[in-house]
Amino acid sequence: DVKVTQSSRYLVKRTGEKVFLECVQDMDHENMFWYRQDPGLGLRLIYFSYDVKMKEKGDIPEGYSVSREKKERFSLILESASTNQTSMYLCASTVGTTTNEKLFFGSGTQLSVL
Amino acid sequence: GQNIDQPTEMTATEGAIVQINCTYQTSGFNGLFWYQQHAGEAPTFLSYNVLDGLEEKGRFSSFLSRSKGYSYLLLKELQMKDSASYLCAVTGGGNKLTFGTGTQLKVEL
C-alpha cells in the first residue's frame, strides 16, 4: 500500500513562529499536494509540486511556502504563523501528473497557533 | 469559477440505503471523485466518474449526469462503520480539482 506520512499529528505553535510541516511518500509518486481542511470550507489547495524543485500555487498560497528537494518529500512552511492558520493540514500525492488520478492522503497535522 | 454543493449532514439506519447528492457548476468538466473520511483520519478514495451512468463497487455505487451537473453516491446495506464524511470533488477547467464541503453521514441502529 502507498504510504503518505506526515511528521506530526498535533502541533501547537505561537504567533510569529516559523513552522515546518513535513510529508514523505514511499511510492515514487510524481505529484505532491498540501491542503488545509476547515469546518464548512472543505479541502482547499495551498500548493502542489509535480517534480523536484518545482512548485505551483494553489487556491490559498498566501502566508505559506513549500520545498521539494527530493521526490519523496514535500514540506510546507509557515514563515510567520498566525492564528488564522490554525487548521488541519493534509498532504497528498498522486502517481502521475494527470488530474484523473486519485489522491493518497496522509493522516493530517492538526496545527494550533496561539 | 467552480461551485460544488452537498448536504451538510444526513442520518440513516443500519441496513438501509442512503443516497448522498452532489451538484456542481464548473467551467469545463473532466471527472468527479468521491472520497470517504472518518473522523480524525485521512480521506480515502471511493470512486471516479467520467462518463454518464452508474458505477458499482460492492455496497457503494456512484452515478454521474454530466448534462445536469449532478452526481450521487449510493450506499447499500449500511453499517455503523459507514458513519463518516463523504467528499465530492470535481476536476474542471484548467485541470483544477475542487472539493465540496462534505456530507457528514451518521448511521444509527
Side-chain angles (χ1 to χ4, degrees):
Chain A
D1 278 353
V2 174
K3 195 163 186 184
V4 180
T5 303
Q6 294 184 231
S7 54
S8 303
R9 187 72 180 91
Y10 298 97
L11 271 180
V12 180
K13 297 291 181 181
R14 298 228 175 257
T15 302
E17 280 193 73
K18 191 168 185 176
V19 181
F20 292 86
L21 303 182
E22 305 288 346
C23 175
V24 177
Q25 48 91 5
D26 65 359
M27 287 299 290
D28 202 36
H29 282 184
E30 299 291 332
N31 271 6
M32 296 188 75
F33 305 80
W34 275 106
Y35 287 89
R36 63 178 283 178
Q37 186 174 31
D38 301 288
L41 294 177
L43 281 155
R44 292 179 292 165
L45 181 64
I46 304 170
Y47 267 98
F48 68 98
S49 168
Y50 53 87
D51 201 354
V52 174
K53 296 193 185 295
M54 304 302 290
K55 61 184 179 183
E56 295 283 346
K57 291 180 181 179
D59 298 318
I60 50 164
E62 296 79 19
Y64 303 94
S65 61
V66 290
S67 172
R68 194 167 182 199
E69 295 296 318
K70 294 183 178 181
K71 190 174 185 180
E72 67 271 19
R73 186 179 296 269
F74 192 35
S75 303
L76 180 70
I77 304 155
L78 287 67
E79 295 289 343
S80 177
S82 63
T83 54
N84 63 12
Q85 292 178 311
T86 291
S87 185
M88 170 66 81
Y89 289 88
L90 288 163
C91 176
S93 67
T94 58
V95 173
T97 56
T98 57
T99 54
N100 63 347
E101 302 195 37
K102 63 182 179 182
L103 291 158
F104 293 87
F105 285 92
S107 296
T109 297
Q110 179 63 53
L111 173 67
S112 296
V113 182
L114 305 178
Chain B
Q2 305 197 125
N3 187 48
I4 299 175
D5 286 314
Q6 314 178 227
T8 303
E9 295 179 341
M10 298 183 71
T11 301
T13 305
E14 190 179 34
I17 299 172
V18 71
Q19 178 175 311
I20 302 174
N21 295 326
C22 172
T23 58
Y24 61 89
Q25 295 164 324
T26 60
S27 52
F29 177 85
N30 291 320
L32 186 144
F33 291 89
W34 284 97
Y35 287 86
Q36 180 191 58
Q37 186 177 24
H38 286 100
E41 297 183 13
T44 55
F45 170 82
L46 289 177
S47 65
Y48 179 64
N49 292 68
V50 176
L51 302 176
D52 286 356
L54 186 69
E55 297 213 1
E56 299 184 68
K57 274 188 193 179
R59 293 190 300 114
F60 290 13
S61 303
S62 56
F63 171 84
L64 176 67
S65 169
R66 293 174 66 129
S67 61
K68 295 182 179 177
Y70 168 67
S71 173
Y72 66 74
L73 182 69
L74 193 69
L75 290 72
K76 301 177 186 175
E77 301 169 16
L78 278 174
Q79 302 175 10
M80 298 299 289
K81 67 178 182 180
D82 297 331
S83 293
S85 183
Y86 291 86
L87 313 178
C88 173
V90 174
T91 304
N95 288 326
K96 180 180 166 66
L97 179 65
T98 301
F99 280 86
T101 54
T103 298
Q104 186 65 47
L105 174 66
K106 182 178 180 183
V107 180
E108 298 179 328
L109 290 171

